[in-house]
Amino acid sequence: MNDEMNPLKSSFPPISNPDAEILILGSLPGEKSLELQQYYGHAQNKFWKIIAAITENELPQDYEEKVKLLKISKIALWDVVHSAHRIGSLDTAISNEIPNNLELFINDHQNLKIIAFNGRKAESLFNKYFQKKDEINYVLLPSSSPANARMLMNRMVEQWRYSLFE
């Protein structure tokens, strides 16, 4: 398939503070997120609702407030993939990926206790390119993607809260 049919897409810079204790990794931003230039920009993605619920905050209405909520909660956010070819937004369509420099990020964030994967694709891509560190706890979270419509919101919030804060 030629590149016009399978466009190259790139991730955003990480959202983080030097004191971040949790790093949540996605795979690669979807079409709506790329269009808006915002992490988890698709209206049906549950990410920001989950973050608000597990941090016991109201859902911020604008993107700057959402970013601020992550930072004050000591949660960093990034994607495993720096760039890849993909038609549409499905993780299964990612090909020819180049990973972000997560080793440097992890080394620069000495307070990290947990690296959480927002779905199986993020976890499998991390495992493909990186070695896990003994001092960090790695957890697989149910994907917040609209493609994961089978899981009820309250169950997803419970699993995220338990995995990140228990």
Side-chain angles (χ1 to χ4, degrees):
M1 192 179 300
N2 67 29
D3 287 345
E4 287 111 41
M5 302 279 292
N6 193 6
L8 183 68
K9 299 182 179 168
S10 297
S11 68
F12 308 130
I15 294 172
S16 71
N17 275 346
D19 63 345
E21 296 177 359
I22 297 168
L23 170 60
I24 299 174
L25 291 172
S27 54
L28 182 69
E31 293 290 321
K32 192 65 176 175
S33 294
L34 291 169
E35 176 189 321
L36 297 172
Q37 288 294 294
Q38 299 178 1
Y39 279 103
Y40 301 103
H42 193 289
Q44 271 76 54
N45 194 298
K46 299 175 189 87
F47 180 83
W48 295 111
K49 290 177 183 156
I50 294 168
I51 293 299
I54 66 175
T55 60
E56 299 178 355
N57 283 278
E58 292 291 318
L59 177 64
Q61 294 307 303
D62 68 34
Y63 188 66
E64 281 182 24
E65 291 298 315
K66 292 173 180 176
V67 169
K68 196 180 296 183
L69 175 58
L70 285 178
K71 289 180 175 183
I72 63 169
S73 302
K74 298 186 178 183
I75 298 172
L77 180 61
W78 208 10
D79 287 312
V80 178
V81 176
H82 169 70
S83 63
H85 287 98
R86 181 177 67 197
I87 297 171
S89 298
L90 292 178
D91 281 350
T92 53
I94 293 172
S95 64
N96 304 318
E97 68 273 1
I98 297 170
N100 274 313
N101 191 344
L102 290 169
E103 289 171 353
L104 179 63
F105 183 92
I106 292 165
N107 288 338
D108 285 348
H109 292 80
Q110 295 296 312
N111 294 336
L112 280 180
K113 296 177 175 74
I114 296 172
I115 293 179
F117 305 105
N118 186 358
R120 292 191 186 283
K121 186 66 171 190
E123 181 184 47
S124 68
L125 287 166
F126 182 92
N127 290 338
K128 180 176 178 179
Y129 293 104
F130 303 102
Q131 292 287 320
K132 291 183 175 175
K133 297 179 180 276
D134 291 338
E135 64 274 14
I136 295 176
N137 185 25
Y138 297 84
V139 296
L140 174 61
L141 302 170
S143 174
S144 66
S145 167
N148 185 17
R150 293 185 315 272
M151 184 173 283
L152 296 174
M153 180 67 180
N154 63 343
R155 180 82 178 114
M156 198 174 289
V157 167
E158 283 174 23
Q159 287 191 15
W160 278 57
R161 182 180 288 125
Y162 179 80
S163 296
L164 299 178
F165 297 120
E166 300 298 320

